[in-house]
Amino acid sequence: QGWVNGAPALGWETTLAFLIMPVILVVLQSVTMQVLQPPVDEDATKEERETLERSQTILKFLPLLIGFFALQVPAGLTIYWFTSNIFTLTQSLAVRAYFSANPPQIELPDYWDTALKNENFENMTPEDRRKATEAGIRVGPSFDDLVDESRFHCLIERRSIREETEAWKRVTQLRQE
């Protein structure tokens, strides 16, 4: 059905143009995913590496899925995916090339080693503590530590609230009689 004298109804040129875009898209998507894949972390645990391998195995089939979708949608969307892929790949390679040629010089503040080792933060100056907190580094005790300390080291003495109420006075007068 749809074939006329052994040729597709649209003709070979149009049919091949329609079918070649999903194939090119699958190849380009596969290349893009391989190039943009982050390197394996050397410090990762065995469980993290297994999870990474499983997710990479699943992601290998993503370009095929995108190719199947490209057959089902209008050709304009396939062309959009194709150009978007090219721009993403080009931009990522340009940024990587720039930063490999011009690595950023990062000067860590003096408190950085103390903050990473979770050492005693009492030795830090208040200004260093403020800067570390602004940088998102927790310096000092956690909230749970403060709660535990308040439970064991604070004693609040106060009179009972009931002693000052009229109802309490009447009850104590009735008991005395």
Side-chain angles (χ1 to χ4, degrees):
Q1 184 178 3
W3 288 79
V4 179
N5 296 330
L10 295 175
W12 283 109
E13 278 185 29
T14 308
T15 304
L16 287 178
F18 176 73
L19 294 177
I20 197 72
M21 281 304 292
V23 172
I24 293 173
L25 183 62
V26 166
V27 170
L28 183 64
Q29 183 72 33
S30 298
V31 169
T32 301
M33 287 180 67
Q34 287 178 353
V35 169
L36 297 182
Q37 189 173 14
V40 177
D41 185 13
E42 299 296 327
D43 299 331
T45 63
K46 183 179 178 182
E47 182 179 319
E48 290 172 341
R49 288 185 185 187
E50 289 175 359
T51 304
L52 180 65
E53 290 173 5
R54 270 189 260 127
S55 64
Q56 288 176 352
T57 303
I58 292 169
L59 288 177
K60 286 180 184 177
F61 293 104
L62 183 64
L64 296 174
L65 190 64
I66 290 174
F68 174 74
F69 290 150
L71 285 171
Q72 309 299 320
V73 298
L77 184 57
T78 304
I79 293 169
Y80 168 75
W81 284 340
F82 178 77
T83 54
S84 175
N85 242 341
I86 288 177
F87 285 131
T88 301
L89 182 61
T90 305
Q91 183 181 16
S92 298
L93 291 176
V95 168
R96 282 188 184 176
Y98 175 79
F99 281 112
S100 65
N102 305 314
Q105 299 296 325
I106 300 173
E107 294 182 24
L108 298 175
D110 297 335
Y111 59 80
W112 192 259
D113 291 333
T114 304
L116 290 180
K117 293 177 187 174
N118 280 334
E119 292 179 357
N120 190 356
F121 296 107
E122 293 172 4
N123 299 336
M124 293 175 69
T125 65
E127 183 66 20
D128 284 346
R129 280 185 173 194
R130 186 184 60 75
K131 288 180 182 176
T133 303
E134 287 175 358
I137 301 170
R138 191 179 80 195
V139 291
S142 68
F143 182 73
D144 292 335
D145 293 340
L146 295 174
V147 169
D148 288 342
E149 184 177 334
S150 68
R151 286 185 182 153
F152 297 111
H153 298 290
C154 293
L155 178 62
I156 299 173
E157 292 186 28
R158 62 179 177 217
R159 292 183 309 166
S160 175
I161 296 173
R162 291 186 287 178
E163 293 176 2
E164 298 174 3
T165 63
E166 291 296 322
W168 184 256
K169 290 177 183 176
R170 278 183 280 167
V171 168
T172 52
Q173 284 177 358
L174 289 174
R175 286 187 182 170
Q176 289 174 357
E177 294 175 359

